[in-house]
Amino acid sequence: DAEITQSPRHKITETGRQVTLACHQTWNHNNMFWYRQDLGHGLRLIHYSYGVQDTNKGEVSDGYSVSRSNTEDLPLTLESAASSQTSVYFCASSSPGADTQYFGPGTRLTVL
Amino acid sequence: AQSVTQLGSHVSVSEGALVLLRCNYSSSVPPYLFWYVQYPNQGLQLLLKYTSAATLVKGINGFEAEFKKSETSFHLTKPSAHMSDAAEYFCGASSGSARQLTFGSGTQLTVLP
């Protein structure tokens, strides 16, 4: 069955380190999204992509970057991790022209 | 820009009672509207969506929501709560098909025996 996976599921890192969170989907969806979930804020959009080589900033993009070299993957990179980036990160995907996003299981990131 | 407000970060109901979770959106153009549910340590699952067709939308697990343009609301209801409904619920809006979602801050539903 097609699915969307995230790895690692849990990550502890130190302030200043570079961290990359993986997102992989097997639906062949063009659209992919990264959100962070924080108490009291719900989910907020970090970056999104509508296809290979396309990336766009979301509401809370500072300190994060993404690249899209193929349809299946949209890795999220924290260039220099900060304690404020401790959060749960969700990846989602949708097909072109479709209104429903499908979410991965999430990655819990702790920055010490 | 879209904004979504969920009234009540925590809602408790007794098993068998009506569930009502409130969601209001702010947009000059009626958006696409969604309700997602999140069980502990899991990702979000789509409950139902409104995409400018019927204003009363039925979803999975007995949930439904009604789009009311005059009230800019999209409240989620279920006639009779089950223990298995305990979860966090998120209302979301997008400006159109395939567009990014703006979420409310979530409502934690507790079902009391």
Side-chain angles (χ1 to χ4, degrees):
Chain A
D1 288 344
E3 61 178 356
I4 181 166
T5 58
Q6 294 184 235
S7 62
R9 294 294 311 278
H10 301 272
K11 174 79 175 177
I12 299 174
T13 191
E14 296 177 343
T15 301
R17 290 190 179 269
Q18 183 181 79
V19 176
T20 296
L21 308 183
C23 175
H24 179 80
Q25 51 94 5
T26 57
W27 280 302
N28 203 34
H29 285 168
N30 277 17
N31 308 325
M32 296 185 74
F33 308 84
W34 273 105
Y35 298 88
R36 60 177 288 174
Q37 182 180 25
D38 304 288
L39 198 62
H41 290 280
L43 283 82
R44 292 178 291 175
L45 183 66
I46 305 171
H47 281 286
Y48 59 101
S49 168
Y50 288 141
V52 176
Q53 303 300 332
D54 175 75
T55 61
N56 306 279
K57 294 181 178 181
E59 177 187 357
V60 290
S61 61
D62 287 349
Y64 303 94
S65 63
V66 293
S67 62
R68 189 89 180 270
S69 59
N70 59 53
T71 301
E72 295 79 18
D73 300 287
L74 186 69
L76 177 71
T77 297
L78 287 67
E79 301 295 343
S80 177
S83 58
S84 59
Q85 294 176 308
T86 292
S87 186
V88 180
Y89 292 85
F90 287 99
C91 179
S93 70
S94 68
S95 58
D99 44 57
T100 301
Q101 292 184 20
Y102 296 91
F103 284 78
T107 294
R108 184 175 296 275
L109 176 68
T110 302
V111 182
L112 301 176
Chain B
Q2 299 281 354
S3 71
V4 177
T5 302
Q6 290 183 240
L7 296 176
S9 58
H10 291 85
V11 171
S12 293
V13 299
S14 298
E15 192 173 19
L18 171 71
V19 175
L20 171 60
L21 305 183
R22 300 177 187 275
C23 174
N24 289 87
Y25 66 91
S26 171
S27 172
S28 59
V29 176
Y32 288 14
L33 294 164
F34 305 81
W35 276 100
Y36 282 85
V37 61
Q38 184 182 31
Y39 298 102
N41 300 313
Q42 295 186 25
L44 277 71
Q45 301 175 30
L46 181 69
L47 272 179
L48 49 80
K49 61 184 178 184
Y50 166 78
T51 57
S52 74
T55 57
L56 181 62
V57 181
K58 295 187 183 298
I60 62 172
N61 301 337
F63 284 94
E64 63 181 36
E66 185 172 8
F67 172 71
K68 293 187 176 181
K69 184 179 178 180
S70 61
E71 299 177 7
T72 60
S73 69
F74 190 58
H75 301 332
L76 182 70
T77 60
K78 182 173 180 178
S80 176
H82 294 167
M83 297 297 290
S84 60
D85 295 327
E88 189 155 23
Y89 292 80
F90 291 95
C91 181
S94 71
S95 59
S97 183
R99 296 301 176 186
Q100 59 271 28
L101 283 165
T102 298
F103 285 95
S105 56
T107 297
Q108 181 68 47
L109 175 66
T110 299
V111 181
L112 305 171

